[in-house]
Amino acid sequence: MIIVMRHGASQKDIDKVVEFVKLKGRTPHLSQGESHFVIGAVGASQVDPRDFELLDGVREVIKISSSYKLVSRLFKNEDTVVEVNGEKFGGGYAGMIAGPCTIESREQIFECAKAMAEAGVKIIRGGAFKPRTSPYAFQGLGEEGLKLIREAADTYNLAVTSEVMEINQIPLFIKYVDILQVGARNMQNFNLLKELSKINKPVVLKRGLSATINEWLMAAEYILSGGNRDVILCERGIRTFEVATRNTLDLCAIPVVKKLSHLPVIVDPSHGTGLRDKVLPMSLASIAAGADGLMIEVHNKPECALCDGAQSLYPNQFVELYEKLKKLAPVVDKTIG
Amino acid sequence: MIIVMRHGASQKDIDKVVEFVKLKGRTPHLSQGESHFVIGAVGASQVDPRDFELLDGVREVIKISSSYKLVSRLFKNEDTVVEVNGEKFGGGYAGMIAGPCTIESREQIFECAKAMAEAGVKIIRGGAFKPRTSPYAFQGLGEEGLKLIREAADTYNLAVTSEVMEINQIPLFIKYVDILQVGARNMQNFNLLKELSKINKPVVLKRGLSATINEWLMAAEYILSGGNRDVILCERGIRTFEVATRNTLDLCAIPVVKKLSHLPVIVDPSHGTGLRDKVLPMSLASIAAGADGLMIEVHNKPECALCDGAQSLYPNQFVELYEKLKKLAPVVDKTIG
Amino acid sequence: MIIVMRHGASQKDIDKVVEFVKLKGRTPHLSQGESHFVIGAVGASQVDPRDFELLDGVREVIKISSSYKLVSRLFKNEDTVVEVNGEKFGGGYAGMIAGPCTIESREQIFECAKAMAEAGVKIIRGGAFKPRTSPYAFQGLGEEGLKLIREAADTYNLAVTSEVMEINQIPLFIKYVDILQVGARNMQNFNLLKELSKINKPVVLKRGLSATINEWLMAAEYILSGGNRDVILCERGIRTFEVATRNTLDLCAIPVVKKLSHLPVIVDPSHGTGLRDKVLPMSLASIAAGADGLMIEVHNKPECALCDGAQSLYPNQFVELYEKLKKLAPVVDKTIG
Amino acid sequence: MIIVMRHGASQKDIDKVVEFVKLKGRTPHLSQGESHFVIGAVGASQVDPRDFELLDGVREVIKISSSYKLVSRLFKNEDTVVEVNGEKFGGGYAGMIAGPCTIESREQIFECAKAMAEAGVKIIRGGAFKPRTSPYAFQGLGEEGLKLIREAADTYNLAVTSEVMEINQIPLFIKYVDILQVGARNMQNFNLLKELSKINKPVVLKRGLSATINEWLMAAEYILSGGNRDVILCERGIRTFEVATRNTLDLCAIPVVKKLSHLPVIVDPSHGTGLRDKVLPMSLASIAAGADGLMIEVHNKPECALCDGAQSLYPNQFVELYEKLKKLAPVVDKTIG
């Protein structure tokens, strides 16, 4: 940490800062810059820069060490590649996850699974426990839903991903699901992250609605720090002042994350835009920007979907998109799947 | 729901929308405005406006019914007053909650409790389980912390509030704590909210970092809908582009919420600003704006605090603030406590 | 405009709203919905929905008519194509504008122009008047700069675009420049827009840092309403809470705008990201998302640039990007230039 | 500026950074921290931190010097007090400016002026040139409006403030107006600011919709740097994701600005909230937070106002507010006016 004193700070102010640095278990390094006196606070003890900002004569305090380690490219330079059911994410591969927002019925999930398999998809998505803004909205089929999607997936040789909302649900998910997904609202549910750090299955970690990239990587660090290294980051739009779209898809997060971290980063353009007709252009843009995969909502009958039908593609739209993606990928040196 | 057709929409477009309204279980009401054809979709079935926005010829879709009921002033016009240990929130009373960010040790929490009691505070706060951005930061004393704060509170005739992070922790909190607090990161942890709706103790529901007022009230609806009517809303700053303060305290949320809902709304200026010297002016501003109370961080030795010391007041600063608040309150027809 | 009354609004409340609708020069249309009484306010007089929101018994007020007309696809369905020096924007063409942030010297702008011409670019950019946050930063060469870029452009058969900041500068720009650019800070400088509506040259209208898409289109309406139909919209990043990049490039604005308006929309990934190594991925993403062109900062010696060197490409990086764009474009049915 | 090298940066990387520091006209100061190698870049030449961020081995670059000087409390410690017509802003005084959004007619502005004078107000506001989002909305009476407000003000011994939108309008404003106001949309219209730096009248500088506090102070620096020291800063709400209010009033900006700068800072709760019934609580909150004054919209017949009637108080509401403010001010050691 570096403490910059104000122009004209008194010797007494400086002495007091030096004392405080020591009190906090760090070693002070003094140096006189051209216009400002600067005090380095060297050491590994936890400090809060704001504690120093409040001292007299202090102009600015700068923290150097970011707190994530295991997710950093400095810790591991080569890309992490997560592979599930033959589908790869990272290291030049852009994997595909597709399926309905919610598991609604046996018929629906089997039809969706069939359509996905025919399109060449290897991982199906579908929600069993739904986080809904309103307590009066459909909350999902629960364990029954997980059973249905597992059965449908097995029938068509698909892997399954679904959102886990609660520590108590983890055993159920381990039983039925291949990839556990953490939703945007739970990105900083640290207790949940700690439990997911102990399991043996990959985790898709969605970015919180108002999470900075740094906070997102810190949340991933929770999972890696417990021993689970198979984390796939998923950008799904952030909250801004713009109301024309449900969220603002932050595609520049892709190259930013890929520079800072070795983890694969995919995009969910369905939640990121909230409207079916924006999913195709934003899927193409994601891969062009370097994304390691996509998670896309597809429904056999979107107009009858119980949840988020407006952002779900029809199966034939998905097939068309998938074809375009395969043409686009080589231009940016990617392989789909 | 009201569907506004584009200028020049064809009869075929209109017919299709009408069919779709029926398919969704609602009754269509047609009317020709001066420039636009308008279709009302009357009924109580769940619909997603975006499903209609995607139909040909549709210009705009407007949803009328907000989904919260029990929290609304239309449901209950008179202010809800929550009273704990003789301290009142709502109905003209502005209650006070104060204490350290985190329970650190027996000595620290007893000193804080003593200082709070001497200042006239009746409810002490203190965290036992801390949600920390970094997995490597201090995570709180856990149950041991709850025991200590209970003991200290009993010694000085104080009630206790502390943040619950997890469904599994609820029994522990019921044992030791008088008011359960839901943190900003958990505002949309709907499973947790559902469990809290079944308990017999008041809940402080902090506003999420990027939650709209509507979403906040919907989260409160989860708690009320299960039978727990003692909810205190707490504004604690939202995330914006401004970096000069940790968060942007949205004080206008106070009159907005008080118009929409009967629930008391308090302010946490410590988290809302992140800096000790901003706590006094923003506390005064909160009460002037009509807040039903405050939650303020006070620490016996802020410069040694393990967490958020920079935003904690010294006990004597708190006493000074408390005096000023008592002078200010009558001007806005409030009674402190 | 549609006024939705509260559940349980009194007849007196309704009567008062009806009177007010008439006072404002509109005709009231009453209808009883299932749960709410609804009043339409038909007519063309200017009304402010908030005036009605404040009346007793009113629950919600909904404005239907957006105020832009000439920029709308409802007014003109086919794409507007702007062509300058043989370079096309819109209608399936993605045009390219490239060059340095600022005109710094004869030598610099000639070297840049030469490099651009060799790369196949037909329109060069370069600032003569610079809007700088600090009054102490380099403010541009002024008219001398415009003369230099014109001379360099003529030498290499390029067209010129540069930012106009002030009504007084318009005659100068008409003399030296082929496309006038309105910067993000001036997007709502309505007097400037009105004057630009009267000129005979195309205008690039950058999106304001915190402008909604609707406000951006309204600003374009100012230019079209005076008779100038050659407007190119330019997305260049919006301000959000994220600090990892200078701005958040909102690429979903591209399909949103293209649905609402016939005007071409291009992207400036240099300002949109603020960092050279993000320009390539975001340029590719822009075209993949359907952009009608790009405006990219290229400098012969970015490390010596007086302004924004960090976001400028080296000429050879630009050549590499340009090649990739030409491969990408056919995948999304676009032609570069 | 301080450049922090990555853990494990090579000697070659360090050498290259050192060379680059020299190239940019600064002197490098090397020091080995516990975990990171740190290079100071001492000197006064303009540098862009991003240029250094792009070099190999660089982890982070920190700029120390903020660029405002004259507005800083370090430059001038005592509060600047601006006095107009006996009304004071700053130095313990909270001044009042009130009046209609827009000058609409002789009758209207005279009635407003009379009401303001009777209430004890000494400075009336009123817009003659209106920046409107839509080109089809009422754009103000222009010079005729300025004449009318001057005449009305003289009749009732009031001073006048009005918004100047354009350099060309300055002579007109100097003739008719006592305080020139710069609107939020023009906060970074640097050419306008430069011209206003040369005049002899006070300037109210509104904060831009998405301007950080630092950018706001930099804009004020433009005015002070040309010789005009009478600047009043005005907080009027920032743009965030919240839609319940027109803008989010950032009241914590008051104590933040007052710590950084000697300039008076006032609040415009009318634009800041956009709704009449929020003006009273937010006015009280502003003064409680330490504001040096208020600018409030009052209209003799708000329901007939041509612009922003919904956020204008009735004269009797203003009188009630003014009384409350006078009771509140002593609690926070302020004098109204």
Side-chain angles (χ1 to χ4, degrees):
Chain A
M1 199 175 60
I2 291 163
I3 300 140
V4 184
M5 301 301 292
R6 288 195 184 164
H7 191 75
S10 69
Q11 187 58 42
K12 204 180 128 201
D13 291 341
I14 294 172
D15 291 347
K16 240 177 141 180
V17 172
V18 167
E19 278 316 297
F20 199 63
V21 168
K22 291 178 187 168
L23 174 72
K24 289 292 180 182
R26 296 221 171 175
T27 309
H29 282 204
L30 313 189
S31 70
Q32 172 65 58
E34 189 142 319
S35 58
H36 299 283
F37 195 89
V38 174
I39 301 169
V42 177
S45 67
Q46 285 273 340
V47 288
D48 183 339
R50 295 175 297 159
D51 284 329
F52 292 83
E53 279 170 26
L54 290 165
L55 300 179
D56 287 340
V58 171
R59 177 199 179 88
E60 207 173 342
V61 182
I62 300 137
K63 207 175 173 179
I64 293 173
S65 317
S66 72
S67 307
Y68 57 83
K69 290 166 194 163
L70 305 175
V71 306
S72 170
R73 272 218 190 267
L74 300 178
F75 175 79
K76 172 169 179 277
N77 190 49
E78 63 278 18
D79 278 13
T80 288
V81 181
V82 178
E83 183 172 351
V84 177
N85 198 26
E87 191 80 357
K88 290 182 196 147
F89 302 84
Y93 291 92
M96 176 64 77
I97 300 170
C101 176
T102 310
I103 305 152
E104 300 169 15
S105 69
R106 166 176 291 271
E107 189 195 342
Q108 172 250 14
I109 195 65
F110 269 78
E111 280 197 31
C112 286
K114 183 160 177 275
M116 291 303 88
E118 285 173 2
V121 168
K122 294 187 193 139
I123 309 174
I124 191 170
R125 57 151 291 147
F129 300 90
K130 301 300 300 176
R132 302 302 296 270
T133 307
S134 164
Y136 310 119
F138 176 59
Q139 310 266 327
L141 293 182
E143 179 170 4
E144 181 58 23
L146 291 180
K147 276 186 198 164
L148 290 173
I149 197 171
R150 180 76 269 165
E151 210 183 311
D154 287 345
T155 307
Y156 295 103
N157 295 315
L158 300 171
V160 169
T161 179
S162 193
E163 181 179 345
V164 60
M165 282 176 67
E166 184 61 49
I167 291 179
N168 299 340
Q169 299 168 348
I170 294 178
L172 216 56
F173 276 74
I174 287 183
K175 192 168 163 196
Y176 295 114
V177 160
D178 303 294
I179 306 175
L180 283 75
Q181 187 182 316
V182 177
R185 289 183 188 82
N186 272 323
M187 191 201 85
Q188 292 194 316
N189 184 334
F190 300 118
N191 288 356
L192 179 61
L193 300 181
K194 282 182 203 167
E195 293 305 316
L196 293 174
S197 78
K198 302 174 193 159
I199 69 170
N200 248 331
K201 298 201 169 189
V203 174
V204 167
L205 179 66
K206 289 204 163 182
R207 182 180 181 184
L209 212 53
S210 65
T212 62
I213 290 172
N214 191 58
E215 289 168 341
W216 191 17
L217 293 175
M218 290 296 290
E221 183 82 10
Y222 263 93
I223 305 177
L224 269 69
S225 70
N228 188 346
R229 302 295 161 102
D230 283 341
V231 172
I232 298 170
L233 299 165
C234 182
E235 160 68 29
R236 44 78 74 212
I238 57 173
R239 181 158 277 183
T240 70
F241 63 84
E242 178 58 69
V243 292
T245 45
R246 202 182 194 182
N247 299 297
T248 298
L249 201 59
D250 177 14
L251 291 190
C252 196
I254 301 165
V256 170
V257 166
K258 293 206 72 64
K259 188 172 182 187
L260 297 172
S261 174
H262 52 84
L263 294 174
V265 55
I266 67 174
V267 175
D268 173 349
S270 306
H271 284 92
T273 68
L275 279 174
R276 187 183 304 143
D277 61 354
K278 307 298 180 282
V279 171
L280 185 138
M282 297 319 282
S283 295
L284 294 166
S286 300
I287 297 302
D292 298 313
L294 290 163
M295 176 181 284
I296 294 179
E297 296 197 350
V298 188
H299 195 284
N300 55 328
K301 290 182 192 156
E303 69 283 4
C304 301
L306 291 180
C307 176
D308 281 348
Q311 67 194 34
S312 299
L313 296 183
Y314 287 86
N316 65 322
Q317 290 179 312
F318 175 77
V319 168
E320 182 198 340
L321 166 60
Y322 212 11
E323 289 311 306
K324 272 192 190 292
L325 287 170
K326 284 171 188 160
K327 282 190 208 151
L328 172 69
V331 179
V332 290
D333 305 318
K334 290 268 178 187
T335 305
I336 296 294
Chain B
M1 199 175 60
I2 291 163
I3 300 140
V4 184
M5 302 300 292
R6 288 194 185 165
H7 191 76
S10 70
Q11 187 58 44
K12 205 181 127 200
D13 291 340
I14 294 172
D15 292 348
K16 240 177 141 179
V17 172
V18 167
E19 278 317 297
F20 198 62
V21 168
K22 292 178 186 165
L23 174 71
K24 290 290 179 182
R26 296 220 170 176
T27 310
H29 282 204
L30 313 187
S31 71
Q32 173 66 59
E34 189 140 316
S35 58
H36 300 282
F37 196 88
V38 174
I39 301 167
V42 177
S45 67
Q46 285 274 339
V47 288
D48 183 338
R50 294 176 297 159
D51 284 330
F52 292 82
E53 278 170 26
L54 291 165
L55 300 179
D56 287 340
V58 171
R59 177 201 180 88
E60 206 173 343
V61 182
I62 299 137
K63 208 175 172 177
I64 292 173
S65 317
S66 72
S67 308
Y68 57 82
K69 291 166 193 160
L70 306 175
V71 306
S72 170
R73 272 217 191 266
L74 300 177
F75 176 78
K76 172 168 178 280
N77 190 48
E78 63 279 14
D79 279 11
T80 288
V81 181
V82 177
E83 183 172 351
V84 176
N85 197 26
E87 190 80 356
K88 290 182 195 148
F89 302 84
Y93 291 91
M96 176 63 76
I97 299 171
C101 176
T102 310
I103 306 153
E104 301 170 15
S105 69
R106 167 176 290 270
E107 189 195 343
Q108 173 248 14
I109 195 65
F110 269 77
E111 278 197 32
C112 286
K114 183 159 176 275
M116 293 301 89
E118 285 173 1
V121 168
K122 292 187 194 136
I123 308 175
I124 191 170
R125 57 151 291 148
F129 300 90
K130 302 300 299 176
R132 302 302 296 270
T133 307
S134 163
Y136 309 119
F138 176 59
Q139 311 266 328
L141 292 182
E143 181 171 3
E144 181 58 24
L146 291 179
K147 277 186 198 167
L148 288 174
I149 197 171
R150 181 74 269 164
E151 211 183 310
D154 287 346
T155 306
Y156 295 103
N157 295 315
L158 301 170
V160 168
T161 180
S162 193
E163 180 179 345
V164 61
M165 283 176 66
E166 184 61 48
I167 291 178
N168 299 341
Q169 298 167 349
I170 294 178
L172 215 55
F173 275 74
I174 289 182
K175 192 166 161 198
Y176 295 114
V177 159
D178 303 293
I179 307 175
L180 283 75
Q181 186 182 316
V182 177
R185 289 184 187 81
N186 271 323
M187 191 202 85
Q188 292 194 315
N189 184 334
F190 300 119
N191 288 356
L192 179 62
L193 299 180
K194 281 181 202 165
E195 292 305 315
L196 293 175
S197 79
K198 302 173 193 160
I199 69 170
N200 249 330
K201 299 201 169 189
V203 174
V204 167
L205 180 65
K206 290 203 161 184
R207 181 180 183 185
L209 211 54
S210 65
T212 62
I213 289 171
N214 191 57
E215 289 168 341
W216 191 18
L217 293 175
M218 290 297 290
E221 184 82 10
Y222 263 92
I223 304 177
L224 269 69
S225 70
N228 187 346
R229 303 295 161 103
D230 283 340
V231 172
I232 299 170
L233 300 165
C234 181
E235 159 69 28
R236 45 78 73 212
I238 57 173
R239 182 158 276 184
T240 70
F241 63 81
E242 179 57 70
V243 291
T245 45
R246 202 181 194 183
N247 299 297
T248 297
L249 200 59
D250 178 13
L251 290 190
C252 197
I254 301 165
V256 169
V257 166
K258 293 206 71 64
K259 188 173 182 186
L260 297 172
S261 174
H262 53 84
L263 294 175
V265 55
I266 68 173
V267 175
D268 173 350
S270 306
H271 284 91
T273 67
L275 279 174
R276 188 184 303 143
D277 61 354
K278 307 296 180 284
V279 171
L280 186 138
M282 298 317 283
S283 296
L284 293 165
S286 299
I287 298 301
D292 297 314
L294 290 164
M295 177 181 283
I296 295 179
E297 296 198 350
V298 188
H299 194 285
N300 55 328
K301 289 182 194 156
E303 69 282 4
C304 301
L306 290 180
C307 176
D308 281 347
Q311 68 193 34
S312 299
L313 295 183
Y314 287 87
N316 66 321
Q317 290 179 312
F318 175 75
V319 169
E320 183 199 340
L321 166 60
Y322 212 11
E323 289 312 306
K324 272 192 190 293
L325 287 169
K326 283 171 191 162
K327 281 189 209 153
L328 173 68
V331 179
V332 291
D333 305 318
K334 289 268 179 188
T335 306
I336 296 294
Chain C
M1 199 173 62
I2 290 162
I3 300 140
V4 184
M5 301 300 294
R6 288 195 184 164
H7 191 76
S10 70
Q11 188 58 43
K12 204 181 129 200
D13 291 340
I14 294 171
D15 292 346
K16 241 180 142 178
V17 172
V18 167
E19 278 316 297
F20 199 62
V21 168
K22 291 178 187 166
L23 174 71
K24 289 290 180 183
R26 296 222 169 175
T27 309
H29 283 203
L30 313 188
S31 70
Q32 174 65 60
E34 189 140 316
S35 58
H36 300 282
F37 196 88
V38 174
I39 301 168
V42 177
S45 67
Q46 286 274 339
V47 288
D48 182 340
R50 294 176 297 159
D51 284 329
F52 292 83
E53 279 170 26
L54 291 165
L55 299 179
D56 287 341
V58 171
R59 177 201 179 87
E60 206 173 344
V61 182
I62 299 136
K63 208 176 173 177
I64 293 172
S65 317
S66 72
S67 308
Y68 57 82
K69 290 166 194 162
L70 305 175
V71 306
S72 170
R73 271 217 190 268
L74 301 177
F75 175 78
K76 173 170 178 277
N77 191 49
E78 63 280 16
D79 278 11
T80 288
V81 181
V82 177
E83 183 172 351
V84 175
N85 198 25
E87 190 80 357
K88 290 181 196 147
F89 303 83
Y93 291 92
M96 176 64 77
I97 300 171
C101 176
T102 310
I103 306 152
E104 300 169 17
S105 68
R106 167 177 290 270
E107 189 194 341
Q108 172 249 14
I109 194 66
F110 269 78
E111 279 197 30
C112 287
K114 184 160 176 274
M116 293 301 89
E118 285 173 2
V121 169
K122 292 188 193 137
I123 309 175
I124 191 170
R125 58 151 290 147
F129 300 90
K130 301 301 299 176
R132 302 302 295 270
T133 307
S134 163
Y136 310 120
F138 176 59
Q139 310 266 327
L141 292 182
E143 181 171 3
E144 181 58 24
L146 291 180
K147 276 186 199 166
L148 289 173
I149 198 172
R150 181 75 269 164
E151 211 183 310
D154 287 346
T155 306
Y156 295 103
N157 295 315
L158 301 170
V160 169
T161 180
S162 192
E163 180 179 345
V164 61
M165 283 175 66
E166 184 62 48
I167 292 179
N168 299 340
Q169 298 168 349
I170 295 179
L172 216 56
F173 275 74
I174 289 184
K175 194 167 161 195
Y176 295 114
V177 159
D178 303 294
I179 306 175
L180 283 75
Q181 186 182 317
V182 177
R185 290 186 186 80
N186 271 323
M187 192 202 84
Q188 292 194 316
N189 184 334
F190 300 118
N191 289 356
L192 179 62
L193 300 179
K194 281 180 202 167
E195 293 304 316
L196 293 174
S197 78
K198 301 172 194 162
I199 69 171
N200 248 331
K201 299 202 168 188
V203 174
V204 167
L205 180 65
K206 289 202 162 182
R207 180 180 182 184
L209 211 53
S210 65
T212 63
I213 290 171
N214 191 57
E215 290 167 340
W216 190 19
L217 293 175
M218 290 297 290
E221 184 82 10
Y222 263 92
I223 305 178
L224 269 69
S225 70
N228 187 347
R229 302 294 161 104
D230 283 343
V231 172
I232 299 169
L233 298 165
C234 181
E235 159 68 28
R236 44 79 73 211
I238 57 173
R239 182 160 276 183
T240 70
F241 63 82
E242 179 57 70
V243 292
T245 45
R246 203 183 193 183
N247 299 295
T248 298
L249 201 59
D250 178 13
L251 290 190
C252 197
I254 300 165
V256 170
V257 166
K258 293 205 73 64
K259 188 172 183 188
L260 297 172
S261 175
H262 52 84
L263 293 174
V265 55
I266 67 173
V267 175
D268 173 351
S270 307
H271 284 91
T273 68
L275 279 175
R276 188 183 302 144
D277 61 354
K278 308 297 180 283
V279 171
L280 186 139
M282 299 317 284
S283 295
L284 293 165
S286 299
I287 297 302
D292 297 313
L294 291 164
M295 177 182 282
I296 295 179
E297 296 198 350
V298 188
H299 194 285
N300 55 326
K301 290 182 191 157
E303 69 282 5
C304 301
L306 290 180
C307 176
D308 280 346
Q311 68 194 33
S312 299
L313 296 182
Y314 286 85
N316 66 320
Q317 290 179 312
F318 176 76
V319 168
E320 183 199 339
L321 166 60
Y322 212 11
E323 290 311 306
K324 272 192 190 293
L325 288 169
K326 283 171 190 161
K327 282 189 208 154
L328 172 67
V331 179
V332 291
D333 305 318
K334 289 269 179 188
T335 306
I336 297 293
Chain D
M1 199 173 62
I2 291 163
I3 301 141
V4 184
M5 302 301 292
R6 288 195 183 162
H7 191 77
S10 69
Q11 186 59 43
K12 204 181 130 202
D13 291 341
I14 293 172
D15 292 347
K16 239 177 142 180
V17 172
V18 167
E19 278 316 297
F20 198 61
V21 168
K22 290 177 187 169
L23 175 71
K24 290 291 181 183
R26 295 221 170 176
T27 309
H29 281 204
L30 313 188
S31 71
Q32 173 65 59
E34 189 141 317
S35 58
H36 300 283
F37 196 88
V38 174
I39 301 169
V42 178
S45 67
Q46 285 274 339
V47 289
D48 183 339
R50 294 176 297 160
D51 284 329
F52 292 83
E53 279 170 25
L54 291 164
L55 299 180
D56 287 342
V58 171
R59 177 199 179 89
E60 206 173 344
V61 182
I62 300 137
K63 209 176 172 178
I64 293 174
S65 317
S66 72
S67 307
Y68 57 82
K69 290 165 195 164
L70 305 175
V71 305
S72 170
R73 270 216 191 267
L74 301 177
F75 175 78
K76 173 170 177 277
N77 191 49
E78 65 278 18
D79 277 12
T80 289
V81 181
V82 177
E83 183 172 351
V84 176
N85 197 25
E87 191 81 357
K88 289 182 196 147
F89 302 84
Y93 291 91
M96 176 64 76
I97 300 171
C101 176
T102 310
I103 306 152
E104 300 170 15
S105 68
R106 167 177 291 270
E107 190 194 340
Q108 173 249 14
I109 195 66
F110 269 78
E111 279 197 31
C112 287
K114 184 159 175 276
M116 293 301 90
E118 285 172 3
V121 168
K122 293 188 193 136
I123 309 175
I124 192 170
R125 57 151 290 146
F129 300 90
K130 302 300 301 175
R132 301 303 294 271
T133 307
S134 163
Y136 311 120
F138 175 59
Q139 310 265 327
L141 292 182
E143 181 172 3
E144 181 58 23
L146 291 180
K147 277 186 200 167
L148 289 173
I149 197 172
R150 180 76 267 165
E151 211 184 309
D154 288 346
T155 306
Y156 295 104
N157 295 315
L158 301 170
V160 169
T161 180
S162 192
E163 180 179 344
V164 60
M165 282 176 67
E166 183 61 50
I167 291 178
N168 300 339
Q169 298 168 349
I170 294 178
L172 216 56
F173 275 74
I174 287 183
K175 194 167 160 196
Y176 295 114
V177 159
D178 303 295
I179 306 175
L180 282 75
Q181 187 182 317
V182 177
R185 289 184 187 83
N186 271 323
M187 191 202 84
Q188 292 194 316
N189 184 334
F190 300 118
N191 289 356
L192 179 61
L193 299 180
K194 281 181 203 167
E195 293 304 315
L196 292 174
S197 77
K198 301 173 194 161
I199 69 171
N200 249 329
K201 299 201 167 188
V203 174
V204 167
L205 180 65
K206 289 202 163 183
R207 181 179 181 184
L209 212 53
S210 66
T212 62
I213 290 171
N214 191 58
E215 289 168 340
W216 192 17
L217 292 176
M218 290 298 289
E221 183 83 9
Y222 263 93
I223 305 178
L224 268 70
S225 70
N228 187 346
R229 303 295 161 102
D230 284 342
V231 172
I232 298 170
L233 299 164
C234 181
E235 161 68 29
R236 45 78 74 211
I238 56 173
R239 181 159 277 184
T240 71
F241 62 83
E242 179 57 71
V243 293
T245 46
R246 201 182 194 183
N247 298 296
T248 297
L249 200 58
D250 178 13
L251 290 191
C252 196
I254 300 165
V256 170
V257 166
K258 293 205 72 64
K259 188 172 182 188
L260 297 172
S261 174
H262 52 84
L263 294 174
V265 55
I266 67 173
V267 175
D268 173 350
S270 307
H271 284 91
T273 68
L275 278 175
R276 188 183 303 143
D277 61 353
K278 307 297 180 284
V279 171
L280 187 137
M282 298 318 283
S283 296
L284 293 166
S286 299
I287 298 301
D292 297 312
L294 291 164
M295 177 182 281
I296 295 178
E297 297 198 349
V298 188
H299 194 285
N300 54 327
K301 291 183 191 155
E303 70 282 4
C304 301
L306 290 180
C307 175
D308 281 346
Q311 67 194 35
S312 300
L313 296 183
Y314 287 86
N316 66 321
Q317 290 178 312
F318 176 75
V319 169
E320 184 198 338
L321 166 60
Y322 212 12
E323 290 311 306
K324 272 193 191 292
L325 287 170
K326 284 171 190 161
K327 281 190 210 151
L328 172 69
V331 179
V332 290
D333 304 319
K334 289 267 178 189
T335 306
I336 296 293

